[in-house]
Amino acid sequence: MAGHHGLHLYWKGPDADERLFHAAFDGRFWTPGRALFNGWPMTSSRPSATTTHTTRTWLAFTGAGRDRAIRLCSSPDGTQWNPRDVLPGPAAAAGSWPSVTGRTGPGRTDRLLLAWPDHDGAVWCALSQDAARHWSQPAPVPARSLRGIAFAAWDAVDAYAAWAVAPDGEYGIFWADTSGGSTWQDPHTRHPLQLGQRRLDERASLREPAMAAYGHMWR
């Protein structure tokens, strides 16, 4: 992440506690967990955070209580968060938590990609080219999930995505290449992905999967 080196951990409080918390690891010790945003109730779902490919650390989350609108906030160092800097996400309601990934380049602002399932399990995404100031119109992507989307960002290119389909999809895991932004692609052919394509054979999950990237991109 940009700013202070180390690991940054973010989580929602237990049960009805709608505060967001943070702790950092410097290679030897974890700092005590502390409430962010002056301890204000921020979300009823888990947060999502960007990784190392953006100039700032970004959090994405839904509102508190029954507020399912998407919010984003950035930090220069992963530690300091200002409640006055919370920005609205795309004009859409999330049925589960949103997932965020991003990248940047020399002299450019952060480019962010958001994905989220609606209340019916259809997955949508939106793209911001200017660090969450403006968003593209939410676009449907060929995915269905009642949980979040897993992103794996790689160098300066856009991420891969993975998700689990349940229960009518027998908990199968699917994946896609998001380099097209709002048009997700078949990772092998680079053609626009169709619903139900690119299931990972003999892999199933009751919960959302996780992804990570290592080394250099092959494309």
Side-chain angles (χ1 to χ4, degrees), residues 49-67:
T50 55
T51 53
T52 57
H53 306 302
T54 48
T55 59
R56 301 172 68 85
T57 301
W58 288 88
L59 283 180
F61 45 89
T62 58
R66 297 188 177 182
D67 181 0

Side-chain angles (χ1 to χ4, degrees), residues 4 35 38-39 57 70 79 83 101 107-108 117 127 132-133 135 138 163 174 178 184 186 195 205 211:
H4 294 171
N38 298 328
T57 301
I70 299 170
T79 300
T101 188
R108 297 201 299 265
L127 192 65
R133 298 295 174 181
W135 291 93
W163 62 94
F174 295 77
T178 75
W184 292 12
D186 184 307
L195 193 67
S205 176
M211 291 185 80

Side-chain angles (χ1 to χ4, degrees), residues 91-172:
S96 184
W97 53 84
S99 300
V100 62
T101 188
R103 65 174 173 84
T104 191
R108 297 201 299 265
T109 59
D110 288 344
R111 180 182 191 265
L112 301 173
L113 177 66
L114 268 175
W116 66 94
D118 64 20
H119 292 283
D120 295 322
V123 177
W124 300 76
C125 74
L127 192 65
S128 173
Q129 302 281 4
D130 58 359
R133 298 295 174 181
H134 301 88
W135 291 93
S136 64
Q137 187 70 21
V141 296
R144 291 193 60 82
S145 178
L146 296 177
R147 298 281 179 172
I149 301 295
F151 282 132
W154 211 321
D155 291 339
V157 301
D158 286 301
Y160 285 90
W163 62 94
V165 178
D168 53 342
E170 298 178 349
Y171 305 101

